Amino acid sequence: MGAPECGEQIERLTLSGLRDLGEVREAVRAVLVGCAQNDVIDSVLVADELCTLACEYGNLPAGVCLIRSFHRPSLRVAVTAPHLSIPMSPSDSRTSQFVLASCATDWGIGNEGARMTLWAYVQVRQDVFADNSYAFTNSGSGHRSS
């Protein structure tokens, strides 16, 4: 994992199939240690959606790049795969568009030759309980876990 020396923390992974989604989710959570829980959840959902699209519509393996910016408090998720073709029909991409519109501040598709990149930015804020040692009960009150 890259050090935040220049205001960024970078994690790169290889996505070979759906079986790698757990590793991507764990990497997102690791990069966002100390961030607000809702922002971490949104980031995991966005990364999961972009990786699933790459698995369904791209030639694998795909590269996954997570960049946490400390200057612009955000996480950039980028998934690059060869010959990636995203469905244009609203019925085929409705869930993906909903997740991205709901959780990401910006997202898009770019190409680099024969390779396509799906990318999204998610705003992330520091959690007031940055040590991550608080657990929340169903009543919503927090307590320190041991």
Side-chain angles (χ1 to χ4, degrees):
M1 197 173 320
E5 296 169 2
C6 64
E8 292 182 339
Q9 182 177 355
I10 301 171
E11 177 75 17
R12 296 183 192 278
L13 303 117
T14 299
L15 180 68
S16 298
L18 293 172
R19 68 185 172 278
D20 294 331
L21 290 178
E23 182 181 347
V24 172
R25 293 179 196 120
E26 286 298 319
V28 169
R29 287 190 286 267
V31 167
L32 297 180
V33 165
C35 291
Q37 182 179 6
N38 287 341
D39 296 340
V40 175
I41 291 169
D42 286 350
S43 298
V44 169
L45 287 170
V46 166
D48 199 68
E49 194 62 38
L50 295 181
C51 289
T52 300
L53 287 170
C55 288
E56 290 180 359
Y57 301 107
N59 293 341
L60 299 178
V64 178
C65 185
L66 307 172
I67 303 173
R68 179 178 176 188
S69 172
F70 294 91
H71 297 297
R72 172 187 173 192
S74 63
L75 178 72
R76 181 179 193 268
V77 179
V79 181
T80 303
H83 309 291
L84 183 59
S85 61
I86 302 301
M88 291 299 142
S89 124
S91 62
D92 290 339
S93 61
R94 185 174 310 151
T95 302
S96 298
Q97 290 176 358
F98 177 77
V99 168
L100 294 171
S102 299
C103 300
T105 56
D106 197 13
W107 62 276
I109 303 169
N111 65 329
E112 304 161 12
R115 300 181 66 77
M116 296 291 292
T117 300
L118 300 170
W119 58 268
Y121 283 94
V122 181
Q123 179 182 356
V124 294
R125 297 161 297 208
Q126 284 299 119
D127 192 353
V128 292
F129 303 118
D131 65 0
N132 289 335
S133 63
Y134 282 82
F136 291 89
T137 64
N138 289 337
S139 65
S141 62
H143 66 277
R144 188 172 287 279
S145 54
S146 46

